[in-house]
Amino acid sequence: MDTNTQWISSSESTFVLFLGGQISLDKQKLCWALSRHLDTCADLPVSETVVGMNALTMYLDKDVLYQNPSNLAIYQKLLNEITHDFVGSSGSVDGIDGKHVDIPVIYGGEYGVDLADSAKMLGMSIDELVARHTAPLYTVYFIGFQAGFPYLGGLPDELHLPRHAKPRTKVPQGSVGIGGAQTGIYPFESPGGWQLLGRTNLPLFDKTHNSPTLLQAGDTLRFVATDILA
């Protein structure tokens, strides 16, 4: 995989790896695999790794670092060496064997208040926008922002939309929207600036379940239009 794998220090106890360029599933798979590898690495005092969008953050054990803070530079050098060896020996890396979920969505009307304007911005009809939004197989890259909020890979370039200059103070629970190069689903009512295309009644978070979030990293999903309202 041809990608820059240099870690940078982001605090007195964390390093961050950003895989630049165009977002891709291959880069996300590398982040997942590196996270698993580093979590079991005996040569580094790893406290936790957190996967982002084509990015990875590693938290070092602060108690170990406080004993000798100058070791941070040593750990950074070692981390880069371990990462380069891992990338060089792995070739193509495996993803996560996730499940598939279909997400039923009512598009437009009071459920997707930005659908018509979004279609105009993209130079499409409403039906064409819905068809293109429901066509791809999306992959959950990671969960963030809210409990259960899926950051998805797979949105076609022609559907990228600007975020609202002034975010809404309340976006309804279950709203499906596009913000920049991302599409996603709001698990809870919250502020937000994405273009809202529709809404699903499928709950993305249920604290009574053993696994409270419906979606996990590595899962795939498709949006299924159950209705399109004018």
Side-chain angles (χ1 to χ4, degrees):
M1 178 179 295
D2 182 17
T3 185
N4 180 19
T5 52
Q6 289 292 327
W7 291 81
I8 60 173
S9 176
S10 57
S11 78
E12 70 278 3
S13 61
T14 59
F15 294 109
V16 179
L17 175 68
F18 293 105
L19 302 182
Q22 188 172 3
I23 292 172
S24 73
L25 182 56
D26 281 343
K27 291 177 183 178
Q28 197 67 22
K29 287 180 179 179
L30 176 58
C31 290
W32 292 334
L34 267 175
S35 176
R36 295 191 295 264
H37 181 67
L38 294 173
D39 280 340
T40 59
C41 182
D43 296 325
L44 292 167
V46 180
S47 173
E48 183 183 14
T49 57
V50 177
V51 176
M53 180 65 73
N54 281 193
L56 182 61
T57 301
M58 188 185 75
Y59 295 83
L60 297 175
D61 188 324
K62 290 185 178 180
D63 292 337
V64 173
L65 277 177
Y66 286 161
Q67 295 174 15
N68 193 344
S70 64
N71 280 345
L72 187 66
I74 297 174
Y75 289 138
Q76 183 175 15
K77 182 175 183 294
L78 179 58
L79 177 59
N80 279 319
E81 291 173 352
I82 292 171
T83 300
H84 293 160
D85 289 344
F86 178 81
V87 173
S89 63
S90 296
S92 61
V93 292
D94 294 330
I96 299 174
D97 187 17
K99 64 184 180 297
H100 178 79
V101 180
D102 285 335
I103 307 293
V105 180
I106 300 176
Y107 284 87
E110 64 179 298
Y111 302 100
V113 293
D114 297 320
L115 179 64
D117 286 342
S118 296
K120 289 180 182 177
M121 279 191 283
L122 295 173
M124 302 176 184
S125 68
I126 288 176
D127 287 345
E128 183 180 5
L129 174 51
V130 172
R132 294 196 182 195
H133 188 252
T134 55
L137 179 68
Y138 298 97
T139 300
V140 180
Y141 279 15
F142 71 104
I143 300 294
F145 172 55
Q146 297 177 344
F149 188 102
Y151 282 83
L152 305 175
L155 182 71
D157 291 346
E158 65 269 19
L159 296 189
H160 294 185
L161 284 164
R163 293 168 174 82
H164 287 286
K166 183 178 180 181
R168 293 183 172 92
T169 57
K170 290 184 178 181
V171 173
Q173 176 179 327
S175 291
V176 175
I178 293 176
Q182 298 294 311
T183 186
I185 313 162
Y186 288 79
F188 306 101
E189 180 185 283
S190 74
W194 289 22
Q195 305 288 342
L196 305 182
L197 307 185
R199 198 180 308 168
T200 181
N201 290 323
L202 189 65
L204 270 68
F205 184 86
D206 189 336
K207 65 181 180 181
T208 64
H209 292 173
N210 289 332
S211 179
T213 59
L214 173 66
L215 299 167
Q216 304 288 340
D219 290 348
T220 59
L221 67 83
R222 272 199 171 91
F223 295 110
V224 178
T226 58
D227 202 353
I228 303 175
L229 307 178

